[in-house]
Amino acid sequence: MLITTLLFSGIGIIGMFSVSRAAIRPEFNSPLHAMVGSAHIHFIIPGLLIMLIMMLLDYRKLRSLSWPFYICTIAGMILVNLCPRSVNGSHRWLTLPIGSAIDVVGWSLYLLPASILGIWLSNLSLYRGRIIVRWRDLLLIGIPMFLYVRSYAIPELLIFLAVILILYIWLTGKWGLPIALGLVGVVIGGAAIWRSEYLSMRVISTLNPERFADGAGYMMIQMREALATAGWRGHGFGVLLPDLPLLYSDMLLPYLIYCFGWSVGLLLAAVMLGFLLQAIKAWKSVRDPYGRALLAGLSLTIILQLLYGLAKLSGYLILVNLPVPFISYGGSHLLIEYAALGIILSVFRRKDMIPGLNGHREAEM
């Protein structure tokens, strides 16, 4: 998993410096794009340090912090909802006194599942080998759902629901309630999309981008054209693509395909598959219930975002502001992603030192 993550990081660095190379040409001449290569390195270095620190820490200490993490995350989401500033109608950024900002909604995708799992597993109550989750514990899901809708963070709502309900089914063996909650989340999310002019136009333009070529469909048309002309070898490092906006973030993967061809697309798919297989292998080898749940929750959150980034290359998926983990430009999401990877590695490296559920029960007896 560490190797595949470093491959993701390397691909992202190459993409950023390709954008910077294109930006210094007179035809493009974009100072903002010209600095993304060096700035991306400055984000990755502290991210790797955080990953190392989290890997060396004992992940079991996080369980006692589950309630503080949950309360602080919910408080942060409420705070950004009260903030008058928004990006495309979404309230998600919390500005710190030091001048930097945190994507609270993006961080919540990792903090909420980790804290909810710790709360659920605080008592290993069993019934026929399944962990019992009480009805009041389900309120832990409903509060974030409401705040995601309030922030118009529909992609994050769907990812959160998918991760937490998959884990709920695995822990409890119950299907009915998760399916009902999932349907409620989809209905509420759909209603929120139609209430937001920005999000609803994104959906409509995906179905018929030519009709909105001068507006919401412009990015989709340019992405499809770039992918259609990429070929297997691409157009080379640092090639100009001024008609496609947001090359360093939302459109980085299409730009990589345009520069280096669909061979890089296959490489991305292979690395993503490798990350998935290694996550499954690591999950099977861990015996501690909390460690298994934590590894599964964080890995699922990363994998779902990776799959969306790859599926977006089809040219027929709604375009939303969702970074590709370890690849897209940005400091806030990279820090939390490397921290999550460090926790995953912390769980795996202690897999032979911590007994499983049977060990805990025998110790108690």
Side-chain angles (χ1 to χ4, degrees), residues 62-139:
L62 298 176
R63 181 162 22 180
S64 62
L65 299 174
S66 295
W67 272 113
F69 275 139
Y70 181 84
I71 293 171
C72 289
T73 305
I74 294 299
M77 295 177 72
I78 294 174
L79 188 60
V80 296
N81 265 282
L82 298 176
C83 179
R85 296 177 58 187
S86 66
V87 179
N88 295 325
S90 177
H91 297 264
R92 56 188 308 135
W93 291 93
L94 181 63
T95 304
L96 302 178
I98 59 176
S100 59
I102 295 176
D103 182 2
V104 175
V105 174
W107 281 35
S108 69
L109 284 179
Y110 299 90
L111 295 175
L112 287 175
S115 57
I116 290 173
L117 288 170
I119 294 169
W120 282 354
L121 293 169
S122 58
N123 291 315
L124 292 178
S125 302
L126 297 177
Y127 176 73
R128 295 181 180 178
R130 297 291 186 178
I131 294 172
I132 299 174
V133 177
R134 295 175 292 269
W135 275 96
R136 64 181 178 86
D137 294 329
L138 296 178
L139 293 175

Side-chain angles (χ1 to χ4, degrees), residues 56 115 235 296:
L56 296 177
S115 57
H235 299 275

Side-chain angles (χ1 to χ4, degrees), residues 185-255:
V186 170
V187 171
I188 294 175
I193 289 175
W194 290 114
R195 285 181 57 194
S196 169
E197 182 179 357
Y198 172 78
L199 293 175
S200 60
M201 286 300 298
R202 279 292 182 94
V203 174
I204 297 173
S205 64
T206 302
L207 302 175
N208 189 4
E210 290 77 12
R211 181 182 173 187
F212 305 93
D214 295 330
Y218 174 81
M219 192 180 297
M220 179 67 74
I221 293 174
Q222 297 301 323
M223 186 186 75
R224 289 180 181 179
E225 291 180 356
L227 294 174
T229 59
W232 284 106
R233 296 184 178 181
H235 299 275
F237 179 83
V239 67
L240 287 172
L241 191 56
D243 294 331
L244 192 63
L246 302 175
L247 296 180
Y248 54 88
S249 56
D250 292 359
M251 291 292 109
L252 180 60
L253 291 191
Y255 179 68

